[in-house]
Amino acid sequence: MIMIERAELDDAQAITEIKTIAYNKEINTYLGRNGGPPGYDEVESQIYIIKNFIAYKIELDNQIIGGLFLIPLGDKKMRFEDFVIEPSLQGKGYGYRVMELVEKTYSDINEWQLSTPVFSVGNQHLYKKFGYVEVLRNEDEIEYIKKFQ
């Protein structure tokens, strides 16, 4: 069963390992090199995220398979960041289910924001399928918003 649970400092290593594998695979597929957002492959960066944001681990049958963090923006708005699932488990509906769980957990939020690189076609498909609307695009990233009335 897929679930989200608040990440603790002891989870930082496992989440960092998954982020490193996932980001390197995505960047390598489209850009022919490893890479990701600043600190994606550093445990210290994940520890900072856990301490300073609303960080979650994603678990499948009690095994960590990914992570994400949320940034409250005030006025019932929330930013969804660093959403990652182990690459071998992508495309199985887990991402969609995680997004459902996050929205259910924060049912008072009426605007969600997130972004993804322009080359991340799989992410774009998931976000559009989940009701996000593209609001801004530049040469590097696409910004999405999902609003509730």
Side-chain angles (χ1 to χ4, degrees), residues 5-18:
E5 187 175 309
R6 287 295 292 265
E8 299 187 19
L9 294 178
D10 290 349
D11 302 319
Q13 181 69 42
I15 294 170
T16 301
E17 289 171 6
I18 293 166

Side-chain angles (χ1 to χ4, degrees), residues 56-85:
Y56 282 90
K57 59 185 169 186
I58 302 165
E59 293 183 315
L60 178 64
D61 300 327
N62 297 315
Q63 294 279 33
I64 296 175
I65 65 160
L68 63 96
F69 71 93
L70 305 172
I71 303 171
L73 302 174
D75 199 30
K76 297 188 178 188
K77 297 178 183 178
M78 187 86 79
R79 184 151 187 93
F80 206 112
E81 288 287 342
D82 240 5
F83 180 26
V84 63
I85 290 181

Side-chain angles (χ1 to χ4, degrees), residues 1 14 21 34 46 49 51 58 60-61 71 81-82 87 103 108 122 124 133:
M1 181 169 93
I21 292 166
N34 289 337
Q46 188 62 39
I49 288 168
K51 286 182 174 180
I58 302 165
L60 178 64
D61 300 327
I71 303 171
E81 288 287 342
D82 240 5
E103 282 188 5
D108 60 322
Q124 294 168 40
V133 176

